[in-house]
Amino acid sequence: MSSDRWEDFSDLFREGRQPLPRAWADVFGPLRKGTVDDLVIVGQIGQSLDGRIATESGHSKYINGPGGLVHLHRLRALMDAVVVGVGTAIADDPQLTVRRVAGPQPARVVVDPKGRLGGSARMFADNGVRRLLITAQGTCCAPPSGVEIVALPVVDGQIAPSAILAALAGCGMRRVLIEGGANTVSRFLAAGCLDRLHVMVAPIVLGAGGPGLIVPPVERADQAQRMPFRVHQIGDDVLFDCDLSAQRVPLGVAKKST
């Protein structure tokens, strides 16, 4: 993608003063600074050509190829925090680390309203990175030592995406990656809480299985939301970088810059 080393780019990206190398800037430049407020919220989803994120049996490792996986790790390296829902944390037991590229490790966050995630989850591993468990007020949680508990109100059985992001901003997290699963990314999209959506499409057809984005239906095709987008080939996969800033609700500012 560029002769510039990724380590150099990630440093320039966070410093925010110098122009970015053009090849890197095309994909990651829009994530450098928010256009609605101080925050930059990015949703990410990997799927097949027919919009599936897993097979009918639930298998999903790996739909995207090596290029798509490297892109995901680069996203993590540029973010202050990476968020997953408890369903993904239980099913996939992700590490949520930067392993395929150089760069700083983001804080790891799980949205777990009922305190279902066990203490042995790999995302709770103590490796010097902040770990947060976002849960419902009144839930009894006993995560491993060092994991911060953030208790938030529940509305209609769910914790509002805007409340989650406000809490993370209060912890000093300005750039946030909503990594999965599909239900969690869809909830943030429907709530108007994403600045960008990265959809990485693999050249495979699964035929059945877990769907990707799940949003309220429309009656007519011409009522569907259209958005500005760019397309990038990342290895054998194709990235759709969708600009959702026009529908993003104001969320505020981070307590401190990280």
Side-chain angles (χ1 to χ4, degrees), residues 61 83-96 109-112 116-118 120-124 180-181 184:
K61 293 185 178 180
V83 178
V84 295
V86 65
T88 293
I90 292 174
D92 296 345
D93 195 19
Q95 298 179 64
L96 303 183
V109 183
V110 61
V111 181
D112 186 6
R116 297 164 51 204
L117 187 60
S120 62
R122 293 196 295 177
M123 66 171 293
F124 282 158
T184 299

Side-chain angles (χ1 to χ4, degrees), residues 25-210:
D26 286 345
V27 177
F28 299 108
L31 312 182
R32 200 178 197 186
K33 185 177 180 181
T35 58
V36 177
D37 50 31
D38 183 52
L39 308 183
V40 180
I41 316 301
V42 185
Q44 185 281 150
I45 195 165
Q47 65 179 46
S48 63
L49 278 172
D50 54 342
R52 307 293 180 176
I53 61 165
T55 65
E56 198 167 25
S57 67
H59 187 264
S60 62
K61 293 185 178 180
Y62 291 103
I63 288 176
N64 293 117
L69 295 174
V70 167
H71 174 78
L72 173 58
H73 284 234
R74 284 177 174 149
L75 277 178
R76 290 178 184 171
L78 299 179
M79 298 291 110
D80 301 322
V82 55
V83 178
V84 295
V86 65
T88 293
I90 292 174
D92 296 345
D93 195 19
Q95 298 179 64
L96 303 183
T97 59
V98 175
R99 303 185 302 282
R100 294 173 180 264
V101 300
Q105 302 285 351
R108 303 190 293 271
V109 183
V110 61
V111 181
D112 186 6
K114 298 181 180 180
R116 297 164 51 204
L117 187 60
S120 62
R122 293 196 295 177
M123 66 171 293
F124 282 158
D126 186 0
N127 60 353
V129 176
R130 290 183 76 176
R131 297 151 293 153
L132 291 85
L133 188 157
I134 296 179
T135 192
Q137 290 177 340
T139 298
C140 182
C141 295
S145 176
V147 175
E148 303 170 49
I149 298 176
V150 179
L152 298 175
V154 169
V155 179
D156 297 329
Q158 306 257 356
I159 301 174
S162 58
I164 294 169
L165 295 172
L168 294 179
C171 294
M173 299 171 189
R174 187 164 67 86
R175 296 188 189 95
V176 179
L177 174 63
I178 311 300
E179 184 170 320
N183 181 61
T184 299
V185 175
S186 297
R187 288 186 58 238
F188 278 76
L189 172 62
C193 288
L194 295 180
D195 292 281
R196 315 287 298 196
L197 176 64
H198 281 199
V199 181
M200 189 70 73
V201 181
I204 60 174
V205 175
L206 298 180

Side-chain angles (χ1 to χ4, degrees), residues 216-233:
V218 295
E219 184 176 348
R220 295 167 50 88
D222 57 9
Q223 295 172 335
Q225 175 190 352
R226 294 186 181 271
M227 61 202 73
F229 70 96
R230 293 181 178 182
V231 176
H232 307 274
Q233 184 161 353

